[in-house]
Every structure is written in structure tokens, then in C-alpha cells.
Amino acid sequence: MSQRPAMEPAWMKDGSTVLEALGTTQDRGLEPAEAARRLAQYGRNELQERGGKTSLRILWEQFSSTMVLILIAAAILSALLGKPLETAAISAIIVLFALLGFVQEYRAEQAMAALKRLAVPVVRVRRGGALEELSARDLVPGDIVLLEAGSSIPADLRLIESANLRVQEAALTGESEPVEKQTQALAAAELPLGDRKNMAYMGTFATYGRGIGVVTATGMDTELGRIAELIQSVEQQKTPLQQQLDTVGKQLALLGITIAVLLLGIGMWRGEQLSDMILTAISVAVAVVPEGLPAVVTITLALGAQRMLRRRALIRKLPAVETLGSVTTICSDKTGTLTQNRMTVTVIDVAGYYLELVGTSKPPAPALTPARDAAAMWENQPLSVGLVLAGSALCNDASLQPDRESGRYLPIGDPTEGALLVAALQAGLERDALEHWLPRVAELPFDSDRKRMTTVHRLPADPSHLPPVLSAMKGMEGTHIAFTKGSVDGLLEIATQLWMGDHAEALDAHWRQRIAAANEEMAMNGMRVIGIAFKRLRSLPAISEPALERDL
């Protein structure tokens, strides 16, 4: 296959220059005929597994170990000695050993192939001026790809449009926070991957905003492809168990030959018949071989692999089971490897109330049928807590995607915002219902300078119909309410009052100190602290930062 166009580094070039170099335009994208030609030239957009195993190779490897070769030799010698029972027994053990190993590895290879097929996303691409949905495998350099929150990045892209686009790059960089993207060209040529703010890479995903990018590399030419190439170039070595079995096999073979030669020599010295001594020596050599050892080892490993499969761990090679059991130290990065990069609400701290949620170290995702009896749930709860959860769910751009297989919701988008949605839903507050009561009519998106976002919602004409959790709003004056979510320090600078369950109080020095202390304490305990504020609006003001984000 041809390599990608020689235009690196793309992050140093202006977007229009990159489009021109790739022979495409933002409005039309590639023409279908040109896309087909490039697909033939560059190949499909998928990672290639070097030296993939065929069924014959998997079967052949079952007979290549020293122990099995000794068993095959023993079976042949037993047949030559006219011992059909021993020959059949040893042959049956060889067949059982090979069959168990072949079935396990073949099924693992098939499962891996199925997982790869499932992992290919469907992407929105502009071709010939029309918007199409196609498999990411069919992308080629020059394609124009549209991104939105929740989209997987299907190839390496040079971003040419970004509206508050943030991309989670933990899989490549280990950075747990989504990276805010831009479109301007960058000056430095030798930039680390994480600093290339105008690029989006295969294997990552968008968590916020939207964007448009042009494909600069596909398949093995991507940054992820380079990593795959490095991994596959590592020399394959035998596992400790395979090395030990080979060593035992060689020692037994040497021992058997040594004993056979000694017996033959002693017999000849004593004047025995040569033919009789040869048969005796061969019989002793065959007897030295522990025919049952390979079968016992294989059956034991297969049982271990099945137990791990029930725990959703797929073992590709049987000897790896024993290797995993021998591990004493695992060195790994955290985000995306040991953790799923998902946040969980563990503490709600509001004026006069500190609620530590129980059993949240490993919380279940909310079920598809959340609690409906919100009135009973909130009958004895402080109204401030409900207001915090409602505000954090409304001032939020993440979403919950139903997973019918598990019967649960899974958060899509920014991990922090997803955690807030999950907490609200587990408390009986459904996002759709909240937006039905309080529809969003305007917003100020998050940016890194303000470190907050604000959404404006229209209050119902008759507040008496609001659910109990939102009863704090029933006495509020005005037509709209604005919720602001962001850093606690930043909110303290623009807030003037404190909501005490059912009324507002002045945010004096005592309360400011109390909030700052709580913020610092939770942060020192490893928590990410998010502040929630709101403002009642008598009418819909001009949607600007000064108008909305003051006197909260």
C-alpha cells in the first residue's frame, strides 16, 4: 500500500493549506470516484495484525513443543516394538493435547476478530457535497469528517473547525482531562502528541462541542498504527511455563537416551542378544516419558482460561494463564487502563448539609427504569440538595445512552458531566423530565478562561406543577432561571447570596470561608469539586457574560 501524502507536520500548516495539499474542500469533500481511487491506493482504514495466525498455523504450533515431539517419537517407537495398546494410549494423549490447545486458541482468535469488527464506528463524512454515514474502514486521506460529543475519532484528523470541541486523549497520552481543541496552525515542529491542539487522533473520542476535520492519515499510518507496529515488532518469547516444559522435555529425552545406551552397553557386555537389548533399551526410553504430563497441564490451563472468561478476561494463549498467575508486579498507567476514566459523585456539600453518598466506590450505572416516585424520595430531603442535582443536570452537555444488553444507562461525553447526570438520575431526576419543566433557551459555553458554563431555562407559567424536588423554585419571581457550573473559586467571585433551603441569605465572610475550606478539604482528599450557582431572571437578558454571570 502507498504511504500517506508527504505533508507532515500538518499541525504547522494552515487549514486551507492542508485542504489544498490533500486535494479536497471543506464544503464538498472528496468526489466519490476520487475516494474510491484513494481507497485502492492507501488501503482500508484499519489496524493490521502482522503475522496473524491461520488455523493451520495454530494447529501446527500444538505439535512443536519438545514434550509433544518426544511423545510422538514414543508413539512411533511403541508401534515399531509391536505394542498397539501403548501406541494407542500415547496417540490419544497427543490428540487430546493438540485438540484442547487448538480449540482454545482458535476460539480466542475468532473472539478477537469479532471484537475488532464491533469496534469499527460509523462516521459522518462529506463527499461530493453530500453528507453520508459510512464505516470508518472506508475513510481515506482528504475525507471531511464531522464530529460531535460522543463521536469516536476514526482516523488522524487536522481540525479545520472547532466549536468548544474537547477530545479525550487518555488512550494515547494518559491525560485524564479532555483537551480543548483549536484550528490555528502551531509554530513548533517537534511537538508532543498531547500539545498538538489542532489535531485529533484515531483511538480518542470527542466529549464536548463539535468540530470538522480533514483526514490526514489512516490505518497503520496513524499515530495509533505506529504504536501497533511497535507492539507487533516485539520479539515473541516463550512463556515461563513453555520454557520449563521444554527444559523438562529435553532433560527427559537426554535421560531416556542415556539409560537406553547404558542398558544396551551392559547387555552386550554380559553377552545378551543384540536384538533383545535394542528392544529393551527402547522400551525403557519410552517408559521414561511421562505421557500424561502434557494432557494434565493443558486441561488445567484450559480450566483456568474458562474461569477467567467467565470474568470477562479473554486468554489468547493457554500458557499465558500460568504466566499471569506468576506475576508479582504490574507496572501500568492509570487512566483508561486500570480505570475507565469515569467520575462518580461521592459528596454533596450545600449550606447546612454535608451528604456523603454511601457505597459509591463502585456504583452501578442507573437502570433504564429509574425511580418514579420522586415525591416520596424527596419528602424528607433538604431542598438545596435537589436544587444542586437539578442544576447540575440541566447545566450539562453530556448524555446517557441506554445499553439494552446490560439494562443500564452509560454516560456519553465529559466524564464529570456524565457523573452529574448519573447522580441526578439515581436520585429520580430524569434529564428529559427536567428539560420538559425547565427548557433551555440560551447558554454561555464553557471556556478555559472563565472555567465555568451557564445555561438559561424558562420557568413554567404555573410553578405549582413543578415536582417536589424543584419546589424551591415555586416562590421565585421572574420568567427564567440561569444555572452556572464551574470552579468553586470562580463562582465565589461572582456570587453574592447563599441559598438556605427555601430562602436566600447574604454570602458573608463566614460563609465564604466555610465554602473555601470545604472546597480545599475535598480537593485534598482527591476529589474534583464542582460548584453550582443560579440566578433568578425577571426577563431574558442579553446573552453575555456580564449579564448572566454576576450576583449569583
mmCIF file of all heavy atoms in Angstrom, residues 26 70 74 105 135 183 190 204 238 246 270 361 369 504 510 546:
data_model
loop_
_atom_site.group_PDB
_atom_site.id
_atom_site.type_symbol
_atom_site.label_atom_id
_atom_site.label_comp_id
_atom_site.label_asym_id
_atom_site.label_seq_id
_atom_site.Cartn_x
_atom_site.Cartn_y
_atom_site.Cartn_z
ATOM 1 N N GLN A 26 -13.600 21.881 2.133
ATOM 2 C CA GLN A 26 -14.452 21.681 3.304
ATOM 3 C C GLN A 26 -15.918 21.538 2.921
ATOM 4 O O GLN A 26 -16.646 20.760 3.544
ATOM 5 C CB GLN A 26 -14.287 22.843 4.281
ATOM 6 C CG GLN A 26 -15.128 22.710 5.543
ATOM 7 C CD GLN A 26 -14.866 23.832 6.532
ATOM 8 O OE1 GLN A 26 -13.885 24.554 6.408
ATOM 9 N NE2 GLN A 26 -15.743 23.983 7.521
ATOM 10 N N ILE A 70 8.582 -35.529 21.823
ATOM 11 C CA ILE A 70 9.020 -36.752 22.498
ATOM 12 C C ILE A 70 7.886 -37.778 22.524
ATOM 13 O O ILE A 70 8.099 -38.986 22.307
ATOM 14 C CB ILE A 70 9.498 -36.432 23.927
ATOM 15 C CG1 ILE A 70 10.795 -35.610 23.874
ATOM 16 C CG2 ILE A 70 9.707 -37.705 24.730
ATOM 17 C CD1 ILE A 70 11.285 -35.156 25.223
ATOM 18 N N ALA A 74 7.813 -41.413 20.996
ATOM 19 C CA ALA A 74 7.471 -42.572 21.822
ATOM 20 C C ALA A 74 6.370 -43.403 21.173
ATOM 21 O O ALA A 74 6.406 -44.650 21.211
ATOM 22 C CB ALA A 74 7.039 -42.111 23.211
ATOM 23 N N GLU A 105 -7.188 -21.645 21.445
ATOM 24 C CA GLU A 105 -6.550 -20.550 20.720
ATOM 25 C C GLU A 105 -7.377 -20.117 19.511
ATOM 26 O O GLU A 105 -7.453 -18.925 19.194
ATOM 27 C CB GLU A 105 -5.139 -20.953 20.288
ATOM 28 C CG GLU A 105 -4.170 -21.075 21.458
ATOM 29 C CD GLU A 105 -2.719 -21.136 21.007
ATOM 30 O OE1 GLU A 105 -2.411 -20.549 19.944
ATOM 31 O OE2 GLU A 105 -1.920 -21.771 21.695
ATOM 32 N N SER A 135 -18.819 3.365 7.116
ATOM 33 C CA SER A 135 -17.921 2.705 8.051
ATOM 34 C C SER A 135 -16.579 3.415 8.077
ATOM 35 O O SER A 135 -16.074 3.879 7.045
ATOM 36 C CB SER A 135 -17.732 1.245 7.637
ATOM 37 O OG SER A 135 -16.686 0.643 8.388
ATOM 38 N N THR A 183 -8.077 25.470 15.929
ATOM 39 C CA THR A 183 -7.840 25.276 14.499
ATOM 40 C C THR A 183 -6.623 26.023 13.985
ATOM 41 O O THR A 183 -6.186 25.786 12.862
ATOM 42 C CB THR A 183 -9.076 25.711 13.683
ATOM 43 O OG1 THR A 183 -9.353 27.086 13.959
ATOM 44 C CG2 THR A 183 -10.291 24.877 14.054
ATOM 45 N N GLU A 190 8.507 19.953 16.473
ATOM 46 C CA GLU A 190 8.698 18.807 17.369
ATOM 47 C C GLU A 190 7.797 18.947 18.587
ATOM 48 O O GLU A 190 8.261 19.202 19.692
ATOM 49 C CB GLU A 190 10.169 18.712 17.781
ATOM 50 C CG GLU A 190 11.129 18.512 16.638
ATOM 51 C CD GLU A 190 10.884 17.185 15.916
ATOM 52 O OE1 GLU A 190 10.455 16.234 16.582
ATOM 53 O OE2 GLU A 190 11.124 17.118 14.701
ATOM 54 N N THR A 204 -9.147 8.083 20.005
ATOM 55 C CA THR A 204 -9.661 9.002 21.022
ATOM 56 C C THR A 204 -11.125 9.308 20.718
ATOM 57 O O THR A 204 -11.677 8.793 19.743
ATOM 58 C CB THR A 204 -8.838 10.306 21.044
ATOM 59 O OG1 THR A 204 -8.976 10.972 19.772
ATOM 60 C CG2 THR A 204 -7.359 9.998 21.259
ATOM 61 N N LYS A 238 8.841 -17.379 24.541
ATOM 62 C CA LYS A 238 8.057 -18.404 25.206
ATOM 63 C C LYS A 238 7.732 -17.973 26.631
ATOM 64 O O LYS A 238 8.517 -17.255 27.265
ATOM 65 C CB LYS A 238 8.812 -19.732 25.220
ATOM 66 C CG LYS A 238 8.977 -20.363 23.842
ATOM 67 C CD LYS A 238 9.680 -21.707 23.935
ATOM 68 C CE LYS A 238 9.785 -22.366 22.565
ATOM 69 N NZ LYS A 238 10.464 -23.670 22.636
ATOM 70 N N ASP A 246 9.708 -27.277 28.057
ATOM 71 C CA ASP A 246 10.728 -27.620 27.067
ATOM 72 C C ASP A 246 11.991 -28.128 27.756
ATOM 73 O O ASP A 246 12.628 -29.091 27.298
ATOM 74 C CB ASP A 246 11.058 -26.403 26.207
ATOM 75 C CG ASP A 246 10.136 -26.272 25.008
ATOM 76 O OD1 ASP A 246 9.255 -27.154 24.856
ATOM 77 O OD2 ASP A 246 10.263 -25.313 24.234
ATOM 78 N N ARG A 270 27.362 -58.332 28.898
ATOM 79 C CA ARG A 270 27.011 -59.607 29.521
ATOM 80 C C ARG A 270 26.695 -60.678 28.497
ATOM 81 O O ARG A 270 26.321 -61.781 28.834
ATOM 82 C CB ARG A 270 25.817 -59.422 30.441
ATOM 83 C CG ARG A 270 26.124 -58.502 31.626
ATOM 84 C CD ARG A 270 25.006 -58.490 32.619
ATOM 85 N NE ARG A 270 24.720 -59.828 33.138
ATOM 86 C CZ ARG A 270 23.768 -60.109 34.025
ATOM 87 N NH1 ARG A 270 22.979 -59.129 34.463
ATOM 88 N NH2 ARG A 270 23.578 -61.332 34.454
ATOM 89 N N SER A 361 -18.024 3.705 45.949
ATOM 90 C CA SER A 361 -16.698 3.391 45.442
ATOM 91 C C SER A 361 -16.771 2.639 44.126
ATOM 92 O O SER A 361 -15.899 2.746 43.288
ATOM 93 C CB SER A 361 -15.937 2.533 46.462
ATOM 94 O OG SER A 361 -16.656 1.336 46.712
ATOM 95 N N THR A 369 -34.978 1.936 33.973
ATOM 96 C CA THR A 369 -36.267 2.324 34.577
ATOM 97 C C THR A 369 -35.977 2.938 35.945
ATOM 98 O O THR A 369 -36.039 2.262 36.965
ATOM 99 C CB THR A 369 -37.186 1.101 34.735
ATOM 100 O OG1 THR A 369 -36.490 0.081 35.463
ATOM 101 C CG2 THR A 369 -37.565 0.556 33.368
ATOM 102 N N ALA A 504 -32.966 32.933 50.429
ATOM 103 C CA ALA A 504 -31.603 33.407 50.158
ATOM 104 C C ALA A 504 -31.083 34.219 51.330
ATOM 105 O O ALA A 504 -31.833 34.924 52.006
ATOM 106 C CB ALA A 504 -31.578 34.243 48.887
ATOM 107 N N HIS A 510 -18.211 34.765 56.713
ATOM 108 C CA HIS A 510 -18.273 33.456 57.369
ATOM 109 C C HIS A 510 -18.574 32.361 56.361
ATOM 110 O O HIS A 510 -17.905 31.312 56.337
ATOM 111 C CB HIS A 510 -19.348 33.492 58.468
ATOM 112 C CG HIS A 510 -19.751 32.114 58.929
ATOM 113 N ND1 HIS A 510 -18.936 31.350 59.731
ATOM 114 C CD2 HIS A 510 -20.884 31.374 58.678
ATOM 115 C CE1 HIS A 510 -19.540 30.182 59.964
ATOM 116 N NE2 HIS A 510 -20.713 30.184 59.349
ATOM 117 N N PRO A 546 -21.310 39.318 31.282
ATOM 118 C CA PRO A 546 -21.645 40.260 32.369
ATOM 119 C C PRO A 546 -23.111 40.197 32.774
ATOM 120 O O PRO A 546 -23.437 40.363 33.952
ATOM 121 C CB PRO A 546 -21.284 41.618 31.763
ATOM 122 C CG PRO A 546 -20.322 41.322 30.666
ATOM 123 C CD PRO A 546 -20.749 40.003 30.116
#
